[in-house]
Amino acid sequence: MQYSSPTKLYDAYVFDQDGTIYLGDHLLPGAKRLIEGLRKLGKPVRFLSNNPTKDPQDYVEKLGRLGIPTPLSEIANTVVTTTRWLKTHYPDATVFPISEEPLKRALRAAGIKMSDDPAQIDIVIASYDRTFDYSKLQIAFDAIWYHKRAFLITTNPDRYCPFPGGRGEPDAASIVAAIEACTGTKLRANMGKPEPAMLEAALGDLDVDPANCMMVGDRLHTDIGMAVNTGMASALVLTGDSTAAEAQELPQDRQPTFVLDRIDHLIPAEIRQEWGWTDSDE
């Protein structure tokens, strides 16, 4: 594990967003000029998120407000990957989404059948849902345990969603745990990081070898774990969830390739010097 800037450029760069590019409603130091610099160099960039409570267009608008104009084609979140997976593998299934509206809108738009009748449900989708209650748990229980017809998937494996200032909210893993606990079932599939499906969705339109691409994020389990699972180089930025000490404690084959204090240190030092960049600029 190297605590320094990469010495070469990669064919494409895939970024986590919150904690990596921005924190809340504020860009992190060096993020804007990094993205502009990579585009200037002709390097494709893609943005990922495990957050299923937003439409992909929401990220386009947010990045634009923060000064990083981004087309919809460069965005992939678990709303995208869940819908795509269902259409590919279970196009005729009836699903029960324990989720917020963005995922439900995407499922309707894709023509995927939804129901809250346990006798009709083939797949229970556990997601981030701030309206989760006992009645939803009962429907999932009946579909999986009583009728013995449904199986369980999740949009993302996150235990909590961090907020600026150190607060957070329980995320999809807490709902998965509740369903697993009462039904005795085990999660069959995860549509978010660290599963390779997220990177496949991000890089699918590019003619690149993942081994020559870079995944950048602030979480060891999801962002860096996904890069390791896919055979990509990775950079942990110390502006969000995980720390350098936590990275050092991982087995060597699970550690990030680089650990950076600033995201713009992804650009090799030689190029940064040629462009006249200094850390005090942003």
Side-chain angles (χ1 to χ4, degrees):
M1 180 167 53
Q2 303 176 41
Y3 293 85
S4 62
S5 173
T7 57
K8 70 169 190 174
L9 292 167
Y10 290 79
D11 291 345
Y13 293 79
V14 182
F15 294 94
D16 173 56
Q17 295 183 73
D18 204 353
T20 301
I21 298 295
Y22 51 75
L23 191 60
D25 292 320
H26 302 282
L27 277 178
L28 287 164
K32 184 174 186 291
R33 71 177 181 181
L34 167 70
I35 301 302
E36 291 174 345
L38 290 174
R39 288 171 171 165
K40 176 182 176 181
L41 292 166
K43 300 298 180 180
V45 297
R46 295 292 185 268
F47 299 95
L48 299 186
S49 175
N50 262 10
N51 187 344
T53 69
K54 295 184 180 296
D55 296 302
Q57 183 62 35
D58 292 333
Y59 293 105
V60 171
E61 294 170 2
K62 180 166 187 172
L63 288 168
R65 287 195 305 271
L66 293 175
I68 304 177
T70 301
L72 188 61
S73 60
E74 294 183 2
I75 304 288
N77 73 339
T78 49
V79 169
V80 174
T81 55
T82 301
T83 304
R84 184 176 297 170
W85 186 84
L86 289 168
K87 287 292 287 183
T88 301
H89 298 285
Y90 296 95
D92 299 321
T94 297
V95 306
F96 174 54
I98 302 175
S99 73
E100 301 201 354
E101 283 305 312
L103 179 59
K104 294 175 184 176
R105 282 196 295 269
L107 294 171
R108 282 193 291 269
I112 295 170
K113 296 186 291 293
M114 292 183 284
S115 176
D116 59 4
D117 178 357
Q120 302 298 320
I121 298 167
D122 301 306
I123 302 172
V124 174
I125 307 173
S127 186
Y128 188 117
D129 184 0
R130 286 165 287 195
T131 66
F132 180 59
D133 59 13
Y134 196 86
S135 65
K136 292 182 180 181
L137 182 60
Q138 183 73 60
I139 292 169
F141 176 84
D142 287 344
I144 295 171
W145 185 85
Y146 178 70
H147 289 285
K148 302 188 185 306
R149 60 173 289 132
F151 62 87
L152 177 65
I153 69 171
T154 187
T155 53
N156 57 296
D158 301 271
R159 293 180 295 109
Y160 67 94
C161 178
F163 293 162
R167 289 191 63 250
E169 285 186 342
D171 207 327
S174 60
I175 297 175
V176 169
I179 296 170
E180 287 184 333
C182 67
T183 63
T185 195
K186 291 297 182 183
L187 185 71
R188 183 174 295 189
N190 161 40
M191 300 299 111
K193 297 177 287 184
E195 292 303 308
M198 281 291 284
L199 281 175
E200 291 167 5
L203 299 174
D205 64 329
L206 298 173
D207 185 18
V208 293
D209 181 350
N212 295 323
C213 299
M214 170 75 79
M215 175 68 212
V216 187
D218 69 305
R219 286 190 167 196
L220 288 166
H221 174 63
T222 53
D223 302 319
I224 306 308
M226 181 172 60
V228 171
N229 293 344
T230 315
M232 289 177 65
S234 62
L236 174 71
V237 288
L238 303 177
T239 49
D241 184 70
S242 299
T243 67
E246 290 169 339
Q248 190 68 55
E249 291 172 359
L250 291 173
Q252 189 170 0
D253 63 351
R254 304 297 300 179
Q255 292 180 0
T257 315
F258 302 98
V259 176
L260 306 174
D261 290 326
R262 292 174 56 97
I263 195 171
D264 53 354
H265 287 184
L266 282 173
I267 299 289
E270 182 178 354
I271 298 176
R272 283 187 278 125
Q273 291 169 3
E274 178 184 331
W275 288 350
W277 286 8
T278 65
D279 290 354
S280 61
D281 291 341
E282 290 190 7

